[in-house]
Amino acid sequence: MSDLGLVLAQLRLRPLRTLLSVLLLALAVAMLLFLLLVQTQVTRSLTRDAEGIDAVVGAKGSPLQLILSAVYHVDIPTGNVPLAALAQLRSHPLVARAIPVALGDNHAGFRIVGTEPALIEHYGARLAQGAVWQGKLQVVAGAQAARSIGLAVGSRFFGTHGLAAGGFVHEDAEYRVVGVLAPTGTVLDRLLLTDVESVWFTHEGEAADPAERRILEAEREVTAILLRYASPLAAAMLPRQINAEPRLMAAVPAQEVARLFAVFGVGIDTARALAAVLLVSALLALFVALTGALEERRYDIAILRLLGASRVRVALLLLLESWVLAAAAIAVGTALALGGVAVVASWLAQTRSLPLSPLAWPAGATGVLALAWAAASLAALWPAWRAARMDLHRTLAQG
């Protein structure tokens, strides 16, 4: 029988002990791997979506809420700001670019965002089909939104009031898809983009009276304004100037995301600590299992030595047993982690939230698997050394 066959036969003789050793190590691997996969992808997504946006101007309220609603599109807005604020910011010497964002409606859970083609340019997106809007009620669909809803150039739909499915349908304003973006891996993938005029028209309707039209135009607002600074000096001066305005607030994405990570970091650190406890428990359980196996097989090992097995081969048999358990635990733990990520990714997809994929394998994931393998090897070192140094004559005499 080969060494591997011998090890497998020995493991089958102790199924409960084997199962416990594998399960503890698998749970530790699953938790560490799950945390790494989720944290890496969420961090990358949040960083990528906010890249190049130095500040967001919106209504007074929670800065984090403003960032989540205007940049990541996963929260409700703090309110609206006067359209005049957009012109004022664009004329400010410290502002290089100001992109308006107008929210209020959705289609099938995907947000309809009134903006300008500059937002598409900002994320470096390109069109897979069609062209950018040229007129009212024309839409450019993000890749994920188009795929999920089944939109293509020429498709038509009505917007639903609110930022989630199930609201009042604006049946007097039909949108037409004129373009579909190629996948970007950014927030654009799950948005339906149109011009700001379309968002206003959907909610104002067609005003026949010129006086009424002028009143509506004077009261027009946008949800938020995405800013790019013209100078590093703007970071120190501009938010303070904006916050001094009675209706305006400036929020810095980098600061708010850092605060968000600080809040969630406590939970992540706690989960990591639990995973570390599981890993240590798995190491101890494996050590006890291998030490017990050594004591049970002392006579068998002595016979092997008499039949010509070297000290190295005897030690390797204990190491091989540990490696077989580690391989099984790594396989089970990886499957559990990927399954957990797939469940969370499915839930996030239903909420039209941050993208997550079990197929995105970060570089650090290999380190987690290597850590589990090293822990299993460490647990086997003492039993393997004892097996190699066993006194044959005393063992055989004891029977």
Side-chain angles (χ1 to χ4, degrees), residues 121-147:
E121 298 169 5
H122 169 78
Y123 286 105
R126 62 179 183 82
L127 288 160
Q129 303 175 28
V132 177
W133 64 84
Q134 299 294 326
K136 192 164 55 180
L137 296 178
Q138 295 181 355
V139 167
V140 172
Q144 181 184 342
R147 182 176 61 253

Tab-separated table of all heavy atoms in Angstrom, residues 121-147:
chain	number	residue	atom	x	y	z
A	121	GLU	N	-17.817	60.583	-19.520
A	121	GLU	CA	-16.402	60.830	-19.788
A	121	GLU	C	-15.571	60.691	-18.522
A	121	GLU	O	-14.431	60.213	-18.557
A	121	GLU	CB	-16.226	62.222	-20.384
A	121	GLU	CG	-16.943	62.417	-21.723
A	121	GLU	CD	-16.973	63.878	-22.153
A	121	GLU	OE1	-16.341	64.711	-21.451
A	121	GLU	OE2	-17.627	64.184	-23.160
A	122	HIS	N	-16.128	61.120	-17.405
A	122	HIS	CA	-15.395	61.070	-16.141
A	122	HIS	C	-14.981	59.639	-15.800
A	122	HIS	O	-13.866	59.411	-15.307
A	122	HIS	CB	-16.273	61.636	-15.014
A	122	HIS	CG	-15.728	61.382	-13.641
A	122	HIS	ND1	-14.698	62.124	-13.104
A	122	HIS	CD2	-16.052	60.450	-12.694
A	122	HIS	CE1	-14.411	61.670	-11.895
A	122	HIS	NE2	-15.221	60.663	-11.621
A	123	TYR	N	-15.846	58.674	-16.038
A	123	TYR	CA	-15.540	57.283	-15.727
A	123	TYR	C	-14.856	56.553	-16.886
A	123	TYR	O	-14.603	55.348	-16.792
A	123	TYR	CB	-16.817	56.538	-15.330
A	123	TYR	CG	-17.310	56.903	-13.952
A	123	TYR	CD1	-18.411	57.738	-13.784
A	123	TYR	CD2	-16.676	56.428	-12.817
A	123	TYR	CE1	-18.873	58.077	-12.519
A	123	TYR	CE2	-17.119	56.755	-11.540
A	123	TYR	CZ	-18.223	57.588	-11.399
A	123	TYR	OH	-18.663	57.927	-10.150
A	124	GLY	N	-14.569	57.280	-17.958
A	124	GLY	CA	-13.888	56.661	-19.091
A	124	GLY	C	-14.716	55.598	-19.780
A	124	GLY	O	-14.169	54.639	-20.342
A	125	ALA	N	-16.037	55.732	-19.740
A	125	ALA	CA	-16.915	54.728	-20.345
A	125	ALA	C	-17.002	54.923	-21.856
A	125	ALA	O	-16.804	56.025	-22.371
A	125	ALA	CB	-18.311	54.821	-19.736
A	126	ARG	N	-17.308	53.848	-22.547
A	126	ARG	CA	-17.520	53.919	-23.988
A	126	ARG	C	-18.832	53.227	-24.336
A	126	ARG	O	-19.322	52.364	-23.597
A	126	ARG	CB	-16.359	53.281	-24.760
A	126	ARG	CG	-16.173	51.805	-24.477
A	126	ARG	CD	-15.036	51.215	-25.284
A	126	ARG	NE	-14.899	49.788	-25.057
A	126	ARG	CZ	-15.629	48.860	-25.661
A	126	ARG	NH1	-16.537	49.223	-26.567
A	126	ARG	NH2	-15.451	47.586	-25.401
A	127	LEU	N	-19.369	53.588	-25.451
A	127	LEU	CA	-20.654	53.034	-25.884
A	127	LEU	C	-20.464	51.688	-26.574
A	127	LEU	O	-19.615	51.551	-27.452
A	127	LEU	CB	-21.352	54.007	-26.824
A	127	LEU	CG	-21.921	55.264	-26.149
A	127	LEU	CD1	-22.135	56.362	-27.182
A	127	LEU	CD2	-23.239	54.935	-25.450
A	128	ALA	N	-21.259	50.719	-26.166
A	128	ALA	CA	-21.280	49.430	-26.852
A	128	ALA	C	-22.281	49.467	-28.001
A	128	ALA	O	-22.112	48.782	-29.011
A	128	ALA	CB	-21.634	48.311	-25.886
A	129	GLN	N	-23.334	50.271	-27.831
A	129	GLN	CA	-24.364	50.432	-28.857
A	129	GLN	C	-24.821	51.881	-28.871
A	129	GLN	O	-24.814	52.570	-27.853
A	129	GLN	CB	-25.593	49.564	-28.574
A	129	GLN	CG	-25.359	48.080	-28.422
A	129	GLN	CD	-26.638	47.359	-28.022
A	129	GLN	OE1	-27.746	47.803	-28.332
A	129	GLN	NE2	-26.504	46.249	-27.322
A	130	GLY	N	-25.249	52.354	-30.039
A	130	GLY	CA	-25.931	53.629	-30.142
A	130	GLY	C	-25.053	54.834	-29.895
A	130	GLY	O	-23.850	54.841	-30.197
A	131	ALA	N	-25.647	55.876	-29.308
A	131	ALA	CA	-24.964	57.143	-29.112
A	131	ALA	C	-25.446	57.787	-27.822
A	131	ALA	O	-26.379	57.302	-27.178
A	131	ALA	CB	-25.248	58.076	-30.298
A	132	VAL	N	-24.795	58.874	-27.440
A	132	VAL	CA	-25.202	59.629	-26.256
A	132	VAL	C	-26.460	60.416	-26.603
A	132	VAL	O	-26.698	60.777	-27.760
A	132	VAL	CB	-24.067	60.569	-25.813
A	132	VAL	CG1	-24.488	61.423	-24.618
A	132	VAL	CG2	-22.822	59.760	-25.465
A	133	TRP	N	-27.295	60.686	-25.569
A	133	TRP	CA	-28.531	61.413	-25.797
A	133	TRP	C	-28.288	62.783	-26.426
A	133	TRP	O	-27.300	63.446	-26.136
A	133	TRP	CB	-29.304	61.559	-24.482
A	133	TRP	CG	-28.587	62.381	-23.440
A	133	TRP	CD1	-28.577	63.729	-23.323
A	133	TRP	CD2	-27.756	61.877	-22.390
A	133	TRP	NE1	-27.799	64.112	-22.266
A	133	TRP	CE2	-27.290	63.000	-21.658
A	133	TRP	CE3	-27.373	60.602	-21.981
A	133	TRP	CZ2	-26.453	62.886	-20.556
A	133	TRP	CZ3	-26.532	60.482	-20.883
A	133	TRP	CH2	-26.083	61.606	-20.181
A	134	GLN	N	-29.205	63.157	-27.296
A	134	GLN	CA	-29.150	64.461	-27.948
A	134	GLN	C	-30.383	65.305	-27.640
A	134	GLN	O	-30.414	66.490	-27.969
A	134	GLN	CB	-29.037	64.280	-29.472
A	134	GLN	CG	-27.798	63.536	-29.916
A	134	GLN	CD	-26.524	64.302	-29.625
A	134	GLN	OE1	-26.502	65.540	-29.688
A	134	GLN	NE2	-25.454	63.576	-29.292
A	135	GLY	N	-31.381	64.703	-27.026
A	135	GLY	CA	-32.611	65.423	-26.760
A	135	GLY	C	-33.306	64.904	-25.522
A	135	GLY	O	-32.781	64.058	-24.785
A	136	LYS	N	-34.495	65.397	-25.315
A	136	LYS	CA	-35.268	65.084	-24.130
A	136	LYS	C	-35.769	63.636	-24.146
A	136	LYS	O	-36.091	63.099	-25.202
A	136	LYS	CB	-36.453	66.058	-24.063
A	136	LYS	CG	-37.203	66.070	-22.752
A	136	LYS	CD	-38.074	67.310	-22.643
A	136	LYS	CE	-39.016	67.441	-23.830
A	136	LYS	NZ	-39.867	68.641	-23.740
A	137	LEU	N	-35.800	63.018	-22.948
A	137	LEU	CA	-36.309	61.665	-22.734
A	137	LEU	C	-35.538	60.592	-23.504
A	137	LEU	O	-36.088	59.552	-23.875
A	137	LEU	CB	-37.807	61.600	-23.080
A	137	LEU	CG	-38.724	62.456	-22.209
A	137	LEU	CD1	-40.168	62.347	-22.685
A	137	LEU	CD2	-38.621	62.051	-20.746
A	138	GLN	N	-34.277	60.858	-23.746
A	138	GLN	CA	-33.394	59.859	-24.337
A	138	GLN	C	-32.466	59.320	-23.248
A	138	GLN	O	-31.994	60.068	-22.396
A	138	GLN	CB	-32.574	60.458	-25.480
A	138	GLN	CG	-33.425	60.897	-26.659
A	138	GLN	CD	-32.585	61.471	-27.786
A	138	GLN	OE1	-31.370	61.631	-27.669
A	138	GLN	NE2	-33.243	61.789	-28.900
A	139	VAL	N	-32.198	58.020	-23.290
A	139	VAL	CA	-31.468	57.355	-22.202
A	139	VAL	C	-30.270	56.590	-22.737
A	139	VAL	O	-30.349	55.956	-23.794
A	139	VAL	CB	-32.406	56.389	-21.442
A	139	VAL	CG1	-31.625	55.445	-20.526
A	139	VAL	CG2	-33.416	57.167	-20.617
A	140	VAL	N	-29.179	56.652	-21.980
A	140	VAL	CA	-28.035	55.760	-22.188
A	140	VAL	C	-28.003	54.814	-20.997
A	140	VAL	O	-27.890	55.253	-19.847
A	140	VAL	CB	-26.716	56.551	-22.294
A	140	VAL	CG1	-25.529	55.588	-22.309
A	140	VAL	CG2	-26.702	57.402	-23.552
A	141	ALA	N	-28.135	53.530	-21.266
A	141	ALA	CA	-28.240	52.531	-20.194
A	141	ALA	C	-26.880	51.955	-19.849
A	141	ALA	O	-26.065	51.659	-20.731
A	141	ALA	CB	-29.186	51.409	-20.615
A	142	GLY	N	-26.622	51.799	-18.549
A	142	GLY	CA	-25.423	51.103	-18.103
A	142	GLY	C	-25.498	49.633	-18.450
A	142	GLY	O	-26.584	49.079	-18.651
A	143	ALA	N	-24.343	48.979	-18.499
A	143	ALA	CA	-24.282	47.590	-18.968
A	143	ALA	C	-25.112	46.651	-18.099
A	143	ALA	O	-25.875	45.825	-18.615
A	143	ALA	CB	-22.824	47.132	-18.997
A	144	GLN	N	-24.975	46.747	-16.783
A	144	GLN	CA	-25.722	45.853	-15.900
A	144	GLN	C	-27.218	46.129	-15.963
A	144	GLN	O	-28.038	45.195	-15.996
A	144	GLN	CB	-25.229	46.010	-14.454
A	144	GLN	CG	-25.942	45.094	-13.461
A	144	GLN	CD	-25.506	45.329	-12.032
A	144	GLN	OE1	-24.459	45.932	-11.782
A	144	GLN	NE2	-26.296	44.872	-11.082
A	145	ALA	N	-27.591	47.411	-15.986
A	145	ALA	CA	-29.011	47.758	-16.064
A	145	ALA	C	-29.624	47.241	-17.362
A	145	ALA	O	-30.713	46.660	-17.365
A	145	ALA	CB	-29.174	49.269	-15.966
A	146	ALA	N	-28.918	47.435	-18.467
A	146	ALA	CA	-29.432	46.987	-19.763
A	146	ALA	C	-29.580	45.472	-19.800
A	146	ALA	O	-30.578	44.939	-20.300
A	146	ALA	CB	-28.505	47.456	-20.880
A	147	ARG	N	-28.590	44.776	-19.250
A	147	ARG	CA	-28.640	43.307	-19.260
A	147	ARG	C	-29.755	42.780	-18.369
A	147	ARG	O	-30.481	41.853	-18.747
A	147	ARG	CB	-27.287	42.761	-18.805
A	147	ARG	CG	-27.199	41.242	-18.821
A	147	ARG	CD	-25.804	40.753	-18.452
A	147	ARG	NE	-25.408	41.160	-17.116
A	147	ARG	CZ	-24.523	42.087	-16.833
A	147	ARG	NH1	-23.919	42.754	-17.814
A	147	ARG	NH2	-24.210	42.392	-15.583
